[in-house]
Coordinates of all heavy atoms in Angstrom, one line a residue:
Chain A
R50 N -109.4 -173.7 -22.8 CA -108.1 -173.7 -23.4 C -107.3 -172.4 -23.1 O -106.1 -172.5 -23.0 CB -108.2 -173.8 -24.9 CG -108.6 -175.2 -25.3 CD -108.8 -175.2 -26.8 NE -109.0 -176.5 -27.3 CZ -108.3 -177.0 -28.3 NH1 -107.4 -176.3 -28.9 NH2 -108.4 -178.3 -28.8
Q136 N -87.8 -165.2 -34.2 CA -87.4 -165.2 -32.8 C -88.6 -165.4 -31.9 O -88.6 -165.9 -30.8 CB -86.7 -164.0 -32.4 CG -85.5 -163.6 -33.3 CD -84.4 -164.7 -33.3 OE1 -84.2 -165.3 -32.2 NE2 -83.8 -164.9 -34.4
V141 N -93.2 -172.4 -40.1 CA -92.9 -173.2 -41.2 C -93.2 -172.4 -42.4 O -94.3 -171.8 -42.5 CB -93.6 -174.6 -41.2 CG1 -93.5 -175.3 -42.5 CG2 -93.0 -175.5 -40.1
L168 N -92.3 -176.9 -74.4 CA -92.5 -175.9 -75.4 C -91.5 -176.0 -76.6 O -91.8 -175.9 -77.7 CB -92.4 -174.5 -74.8 CG -93.6 -174.1 -73.9 CD1 -93.4 -172.8 -73.1 CD2 -94.9 -174.0 -74.7
A239 N -102.4 -167.1 -66.4 CA -102.5 -167.8 -67.7 C -103.9 -167.5 -68.3 O -104.0 -167.2 -69.5 CB -102.2 -169.2 -67.6
L275 N -106.3 -175.7 -69.9 CA -105.0 -175.2 -69.7 C -104.0 -176.3 -69.4 O -104.1 -177.2 -68.6 CB -105.1 -174.3 -68.4 CG -104.1 -173.2 -68.2 CD1 -104.1 -172.3 -69.4 CD2 -104.3 -172.5 -66.9
M307 N -89.2 -181.2 -50.1 CA -89.4 -180.8 -51.5 C -90.4 -181.7 -52.1 O -90.2 -182.9 -52.1 CB -88.1 -180.8 -52.2 CG -88.3 -180.5 -53.7 SD -88.5 -178.7 -54.0 CE -86.8 -178.2 -54.1
L308 N -91.5 -181.2 -52.5 CA -92.6 -182.0 -53.1 C -92.5 -181.9 -54.7 O -92.2 -180.9 -55.2 CB -94.0 -181.5 -52.6 CG -94.2 -181.6 -51.1 CD1 -95.5 -181.0 -50.8 CD2 -94.1 -183.0 -50.6
I314 N -100.4 -181.9 -69.6 CA -100.6 -181.3 -70.9 C -102.0 -181.4 -71.3 O -102.6 -182.4 -71.4 CB -99.7 -182.0 -71.9 CG1 -98.2 -181.9 -71.5 CG2 -99.9 -181.5 -73.3 CD1 -97.2 -182.7 -72.3

Side-chain angles (χ1 to χ4, degrees):
Chain A
R50 287 175 169 232
Q136 308 300 324
V141 166
L168 290 173
L275 206 57
M307 177 73 88
L308 301 176
I314 298 171

